[in-house]
Amino acid sequence: MRSVILTTLALCLLSPVSTTVAASADTASPAADFDATIQPLLKKYCADCHNADLRKAKFRLDDIQPASQVPADLPRWEKILEMVSIGDMPPEKKPQPTKQERNQLLNWIRAHFASIGRNVANDEAFPAYANRIDHDALFSGEHKGPAFTSSRVWRISPHIYRELLDNLELNEFTSPLTTVSGEGFDDYALLYADEATIATLIQNAKRAAMTIVHGRLTKPRGAGDRKRNNQAQRSRSRHQVLAAFAKLETTPTHAQMEGAVTYAFKMLLQRQPSEDELDRYVKKNLLTNVQVGGPDQGLRGFLVSLLISPEFLFRMEIGLGEKLADGRRMLSPNELAYALSFALYDYPVDDLIKQAAEGKLKSRADVEREAKMLLYSTKHFRGDKPAARRNLDLWPVGKNGKKIDKPRMLRFFREFFAYEKAIDVFKDETRHGGAHNARRTIEDADWLVLEVLHRDKQVFEA
């Protein structure tokens, strides 16, 4: 298992990110190649099942034309691109195009879409579609480089989002759901967010800001009986710099505002603000809010702006590091710190953030050193929270009631084999004392996976 995880980390992290280098594509004119190359390929491998007479899956392509000539054919080209790129078409029992023919068809479609201004999403950048990548090409060792991936901005996962708010001592918050997928605030999700998602994020941010400034909300015993002396109380804030700012009875000085902004940046974004950011957030954000609502409301308004900022809610791998001669850019130290942290954990690892700030996270050797440290160390284990505090889908819990270290490791296998979907499938009420609890089925599979990982022999085969 060590080799599996290290290989995964190496594939993800030891390569530069590219913002300018693109994969090689057929540079010939899409229109010029259609009659001579693309149409014969479709006729050879597809038209027998998808023609005027047969139309399998209610899909016909013997009469398809370039979308530049017949715009109505664009949806058909999009479907061809999807099915051929993931290997679902042609079916296994039918004659298969060679790798060169398949790439020729896919490159032509992508080039043709580009020529008509149609943006094509890079499905291979989405973890849910990891198996769409050609595994033979990925693991054969034939590709010697240079390696690169596209610049990426992703939503943080629901697990990371929950962990961030939990670390801010927010007891109650709502996980934002999108109407796009209905599955939550997923990794690599579309950057689109509907009104309900935005409203949820803002509401959570307001609650978190109140907790940061005034302390965690606690309910004393008997609070449910609605007696006046059992009203919920707030504990002492952990962030006394901000708590003291909120209590000011006069307009804060420039130095006090700079101190509050710097403290908030370090707490929420894990870094110091630049001089430009410090000036902008003090003059155009905090000061303006304070002038309207006073130090308390003004400070909380400023905190909300950070809590819903892209840097807090998104993972960014733009490639802000060194620019190489061939146009590729390395991930910056800070980008690497987050990428490494989220490879195994649901929160930024303080040691990695510190290494990045001190300039000790730049080279391949630095990344390898820190990846091994994360994999083998138990230093970052986050303690003894009972199973009742955590949904098993969010953070696996051990038999002793303690959270399992490196939660993404077990979650990887859940997602890879998709056995967490058992909760929606199995309705067996004869086990576990006759009580239907599909989560126990998932738990059984978890223990099998953990046992195989512990043996560390032929992990995937087992």
Side-chain angles (χ1 to χ4, degrees), residues 134-149:
D134 186 334
H135 282 201
D136 290 337
L138 186 63
F139 294 107
S140 66
E142 295 176 0
H143 182 71
K144 303 300 181 182
F148 73 95
T149 57

Side-chain angles (χ1 to χ4, degrees), residues 113-181:
F113 280 4
S115 72
I116 62 175
R118 178 68 172 180
N119 184 39
V120 181
N122 181 14
D123 288 342
E124 294 164 354
F126 291 72
Y129 303 141
N131 290 330
R132 294 188 176 195
I133 299 172
D134 186 334
H135 282 201
D136 290 337
L138 186 63
F139 294 107
S140 66
E142 295 176 0
H143 182 71
K144 303 300 181 182
F148 73 95
T149 57
S150 300
S151 298
R152 298 175 289 194
V153 178
W154 324 320
R155 287 179 176 178
I156 56 176
S157 71
H159 318 288
I160 296 172
Y161 182 74
R162 287 174 181 268
E163 189 71 20
L164 288 173
L165 294 190
D166 186 67
N167 289 342
L168 296 176
E169 299 186 291
L170 191 60
N171 292 338
E172 297 180 1
F173 54 88
T174 304
S175 293
L177 296 175
T178 69
T179 56
V180 176
S181 67

Side-chain angles (χ1 to χ4, degrees), residues 59-245:
F59 191 74
R60 180 183 178 184
L61 50 70
D62 60 309
D63 63 340
I64 195 169
Q65 294 295 315
S68 58
Q69 300 175 24
V70 184
D73 281 350
L74 181 61
R76 287 197 282 174
W77 284 114
E78 290 176 332
K79 177 58 71 173
I80 293 171
L81 176 62
E82 178 186 8
M83 301 307 289
V84 174
S85 65
I86 66 178
D88 277 6
M89 287 292 161
E92 290 183 2
K93 295 182 180 180
K94 294 291 184 178
Q96 297 292 314
T98 65
K99 186 174 181 178
Q100 181 179 1
E101 288 174 326
R102 190 181 294 271
N103 287 338
Q104 194 171 31
L105 174 60
L106 295 175
N107 287 339
W108 183 89
I109 296 174
R110 292 185 179 113
H112 183 61
F113 280 4
S115 72
I116 62 175
R118 178 68 172 180
N119 184 39
V120 181
N122 181 14
D123 288 342
E124 294 164 354
F126 291 72
Y129 303 141
N131 290 330
R132 294 188 176 195
I133 299 172
D134 186 334
H135 282 201
D136 290 337
L138 186 63
F139 294 107
S140 66
E142 295 176 0
H143 182 71
K144 303 300 181 182
F148 73 95
T149 57
S150 300
S151 298
R152 298 175 289 194
V153 178
W154 324 320
R155 287 179 176 178
I156 56 176
S157 71
H159 318 288
I160 296 172
Y161 182 74
R162 287 174 181 268
E163 189 71 20
L164 288 173
L165 294 190
D166 186 67
N167 289 342
L168 296 176
E169 299 186 291
L170 191 60
N171 292 338
E172 297 180 1
F173 54 88
T174 304
S175 293
L177 296 175
T178 69
T179 56
V180 176
S181 67
E183 296 179 352
F185 207 54
D186 290 342
D187 268 324
Y188 299 80
L190 295 172
L191 299 184
Y192 168 82
D194 62 15
E195 185 177 352
T197 301
I198 295 171
T200 301
L201 291 171
I202 293 175
Q203 185 61 38
N204 288 342
K206 288 180 178 178
R207 291 174 178 170
M210 178 67 78
T211 300
I212 291 169
V213 175
H214 294 291
R216 180 169 52 90
L217 194 63
T218 60
K219 294 181 179 180
R221 291 182 180 180
D225 62 12
R226 299 180 181 275
K227 292 181 179 179
R228 293 183 63 184
N229 62 340
N230 283 327
Q231 294 296 318
Q233 304 292 325
R234 288 195 178 273
S235 61
R236 186 173 184 268
S237 172
R238 290 187 303 167
H239 310 285
Q240 285 302 296
V241 171
L242 302 181
F245 185 99

Side-chain angles (χ1 to χ4, degrees), residues 164 167-169 208-209 211-213 237-242 259-273 299 302-304 306-307 312 338 348 350 353:
L164 288 173
N167 289 342
L168 296 176
E169 299 186 291
T211 300
I212 291 169
V213 175
S237 172
R238 290 187 303 167
H239 310 285
Q240 285 302 296
V241 171
L242 302 181
V261 169
T262 301
Y263 185 93
F265 260 74
K266 291 174 67 176
M267 176 187 61
L268 297 176
L269 304 183
Q270 305 290 317
R271 66 177 180 85
Q272 291 273 5
L299 176 62
F302 157 67
L303 291 173
V304 168
L306 283 189
L307 288 163
F312 186 81
Y338 276 88
D350 293 339
I353 301 297

Side-chain angles (χ1 to χ4, degrees), residues 14 36 45 60 63 76 78 119 206 253 263 272 278 287 295 318 335 339-340 358 416 453:
L14 297 185
Y45 295 108
R60 180 183 178 184
D63 63 340
R76 287 197 282 174
E78 290 176 332
N119 184 39
K206 288 180 178 178
T253 66
Y263 185 93
Q272 291 273 5
L278 188 59
L287 177 59
I318 305 298
E335 289 173 315
L340 279 167
E358 295 176 354
F416 187 87
L453 292 179

Side-chain angles (χ1 to χ4, degrees), residues 419 442-455 462:
Y419 65 80
I442 300 173
E443 205 173 7
D444 287 346
D446 281 343
W447 298 127
L448 173 62
V449 169
L450 290 171
E451 176 62 25
V452 173
L453 292 179
H454 178 70
R455 290 195 221 125

